[in-house]
Amino acid sequence: MGSLGRAQIGISTFFPSPHPTDQCGTNGLPLTPNSIVIIGRFQRLKTLYHQNVCQYLDIIRAKHERLIVAEEFYSENLQLALKNGKKFSYTDIKTIAFQVVQGLSFLNAHGIVNRNLSPVNIVFTPKVRIFTIHGHDQMSF
C-alpha cells in the first residue's frame, strides 16, 4: 500500500444489486449474495497500488447486505472544476488524459474494468496534481 499523503479517508456505502427471486443457481446450489462476491473481489483491489488509482483501504459488510468502503479521498474533481469555470490548457488536458489512461491501463492489466469513468470520478490531488480514478462501485473483475 502506498502512503495516503495529504489525502483524507472517504467512507462510502452502497447496496449491491440483489439476485432475482431465484434462490438457487442452475447447478441447484444456493446463490452467494452479491455482497460476499464483491468483498472477495475487493480483497484483491485493496492490495493494488498505482499513483493514478485511488487507494482502497477496507470494506465491511453491514446489515441488510450494505457494503461500507474506506478509501483515499480528495474533494476536488474534474466535474467540480468544470462547474466552477476552471479553464484547462491544452497541456493540462493532455496530462489529465494521459494519467487517466495510465490508471485505466493499470487496472486493466490486473483484470479490472472501470464501468463508470466520469468527470466526478477523476479527482485531483493537491500536492503534485496527479489525477486519480475513483469509483469502486462500478468496477468489474
Side-chain angles (χ1 to χ4, degrees), residues 46-104:
K46 73 180 190 178
T47 65
L48 301 178
Y49 175 77
H50 187 275
Q51 68 181 2
N52 300 117
V53 177
C54 76
Q55 182 69 45
Y56 294 96
L57 305 172
D58 206 357
I59 187 168
I60 299 168
R61 182 175 174 226
K63 289 183 179 181
H64 309 295
E65 302 301 313
R66 177 186 299 258
L67 294 176
I68 302 168
V69 177
E71 62 194 318
E72 177 180 19
F73 175 79
Y74 297 96
S75 59
E76 188 178 351
N77 63 56
L78 183 57
Q79 179 176 327
L80 186 60
L82 293 171
K83 181 180 176 184
N84 290 334
K86 169 80 172 148
K87 302 293 183 192
F88 293 98
S89 69
Y90 181 69
T91 301
D92 290 340
I93 294 168
K94 286 190 322 184
T95 301
I96 293 168
F98 178 75
Q99 292 182 6
V100 167
V101 169
Q102 291 286 78
L104 291 172

Side-chain angles (χ1 to χ4, degrees), residues 10-11 14-15 19 26 35 39 41 52 71 76 81 84-85 91 97 100 103 105 108 114 118 121 124 128 137:
I11 304 293
F14 64 99
F15 290 98
H19 289 295
T26 56
S35 60
I39 287 173
R41 292 174 176 170
N52 300 117
E71 62 194 318
E76 188 178 351
N84 290 334
T91 301
V100 167
S105 177
N108 186 264
N114 184 313
S118 67
N121 290 331
F124 304 147
V128 291
D137 55 329

